[in-house]
Amino acid sequence: MNSKKPPPLFVREPSSEERAGLEAALRSADAFPVRRAQVLLGSARKERVSKIARSVGCSMQMVRNVIHDFNARGVESLVRESTRPKTSQPVLDEVRREQLQHLMHQSPRAFGKPKSLWTLDLAAEVCFEQGITPERMSDETIRRALKRLGTSWKRAKRWITSPDPQYLRKKNAGTT
């Protein structure tokens, strides 16, 4: 069994410009660059990750993340990045939405379900079982996919059609 500890993690030696930027960040009104500068200056003094985490009041993993970020990006790591995804695609792309639409035109009973009308939750379950989605989606994801198809959920509930050629005649005969 190998019980060697990894070497301690320290920030790379900041340049004089970077050090001036770190010290200036200590006076910021925003807590984000202040905490990061405290972490980085502590690491530059060769303080261990655990000691920095205790003194700054954060997790050791956050200290490691800040050090790695500074080593990669320099003082740019003092600027909070957007948390928005760089790219965003709907979970159900056009092909999967069309498969969903095709599925919704059938009865849930065709998929071994005991109900004759779809619910959003049931549609999500069957989409996963049929391989349309890689994982079980929320009912809200299904509702949004239907909306992208240009239909409302209320209308989609009544999409079911029958393979019986007399279906419409029989259906209309029951409403008169």
Side-chain angles (χ1 to χ4, degrees), residues 48-134:
R48 301 255 178 175
V49 168
S50 57
K51 181 179 180 192
I52 296 169
R54 278 192 307 276
S55 66
V56 175
C58 63
S59 70
M60 292 191 326
Q61 187 59 53
M62 186 205 132
V63 172
R64 288 185 204 99
N65 292 347
V66 170
I67 292 170
H68 288 302
D69 195 20
F70 179 82
N71 287 342
R73 298 188 313 131
V75 290
E76 287 297 313
S77 66
L78 297 175
V79 178
R80 185 187 316 254
E81 291 185 315
S82 171
T83 58
R84 292 186 67 171
K86 305 278 189 267
T87 60
S88 177
Q89 296 179 29
V91 174
L92 292 170
D93 60 15
E94 188 176 343
V95 171
R96 289 183 171 153
R97 285 193 303 268
E98 287 175 10
Q99 291 172 331
L100 169 65
Q101 188 173 30
H102 177 71
L103 177 115
M104 299 294 287
H105 281 284
Q106 302 172 59
S107 170
R109 294 183 194 274
F111 300 96
K113 302 301 174 188
K115 299 180 179 185
S116 60
L117 289 179
W118 288 106
T119 64
L120 291 171
D121 199 48
L122 187 60
E125 182 181 317
V126 173
C127 280
F128 174 64
E129 291 171 355
Q130 295 297 309
I132 294 172
T133 58

